[in-house]
Amino acid sequence: MEYSVRKNRKGAVAVEFAMTAPLLFIMVFGALELGHANMVLNVAEAASYEGARAGIVPGATAQDVQNAVDEILSISNIRQATVTVSPSNLNTSSEFIEVQIRIPYADNTLIPPFFTGGMIVERDCKLTRESAT
């Protein structure tokens, strides 16, 4: 009697796996993609901070800021980032420097952007400039 019950359930494991595997894969890939999105967010924050630090030094130029930002972004292979430095001319007298970074996440995903769609990662950092005295 016990043998016939097993015989009737012969394909049950395959059917159960076929029904649950897509959910498992969606969860795994979703977790990977959201973890990567968090990494891109942290890199953008670090790059904006490092750019602002490079710009607060007396005699710094906007190109110095751009180079500092590009160095951080290139380490993590971040592409298509837009960097805005305010004020654009660092020779002017201003109390603060602000560096804004916009990264289109669709250009930086691990897998096709199913979970993150058209997400834009934006970060900025505003620091007080050092005086030349």
Side-chain angles (χ1 to χ4, degrees), residues 87-106:
S88 58
N89 182 1
L90 297 183
N91 292 330
T92 62
S93 175
S94 63
E95 187 177 350
F96 298 101
I97 181 170
E98 185 172 11
V99 177
Q100 298 174 329
I101 299 178
R102 283 180 53 97
I103 300 171
Y105 189 70

Side-chain angles (χ1 to χ4, degrees), residues 1-15:
M1 183 80 162
E2 196 173 310
Y3 177 71
S4 66
V5 171
R6 266 195 209 168
K7 189 175 182 181
N8 291 339
R9 291 194 37 91
K10 192 170 184 176
V13 172
V15 171

Side-chain angles (χ1 to χ4, degrees), residues 44 47-48 69 73 81-83 99-103 121-124:
S48 66
V69 169
L73 295 177
T82 304
V83 180
V99 177
Q100 298 174 329
I101 299 178
R102 283 180 53 97
I103 300 171
V121 176
E122 293 181 302
R123 282 290 178 248
D124 64 275

Side-chain angles (χ1 to χ4, degrees), residues 3-133:
Y3 177 71
S4 66
V5 171
R6 266 195 209 168
K7 189 175 182 181
N8 291 339
R9 291 194 37 91
K10 192 170 184 176
V13 172
V15 171
E16 289 170 0
F17 179 75
M19 292 176 68
T20 58
L23 180 62
L24 173 69
F25 291 133
I26 285 173
M27 289 175 59
V28 168
F29 287 125
L32 286 172
E33 192 60 34
L34 291 176
H36 184 259
N38 188 41
M39 187 270 308
V40 170
L41 185 81
N42 287 321
V43 167
E45 190 165 331
S48 66
Y49 176 71
E50 290 300 323
R53 280 189 60 213
I56 63 172
V57 178
T61 64
Q63 188 60 46
D64 295 335
V65 173
Q66 184 70 45
N67 292 342
V69 169
D70 288 343
E71 184 178 344
I72 299 297
L73 295 177
S74 68
I75 290 170
S76 297
N77 200 25
I78 303 296
R79 298 172 299 281
Q80 304 297 322
T82 304
V83 180
T84 306
V85 180
S86 179
S88 58
N89 182 1
L90 297 183
N91 292 330
T92 62
S93 175
S94 63
E95 187 177 350
F96 298 101
I97 181 170
E98 185 172 11
V99 177
Q100 298 174 329
I101 299 178
R102 283 180 53 97
I103 300 171
Y105 189 70
D107 296 331
N108 294 285
T109 60
L110 294 174
I111 59 176
F114 178 73
F115 298 101
T116 53
M119 184 171 82
I120 302 288
V121 176
E122 293 181 302
R123 282 290 178 248
D124 64 275
C125 182
K126 185 175 185 178
L127 294 178
T128 304
R129 294 183 74 179
E130 295 177 2
S131 61
T133 57

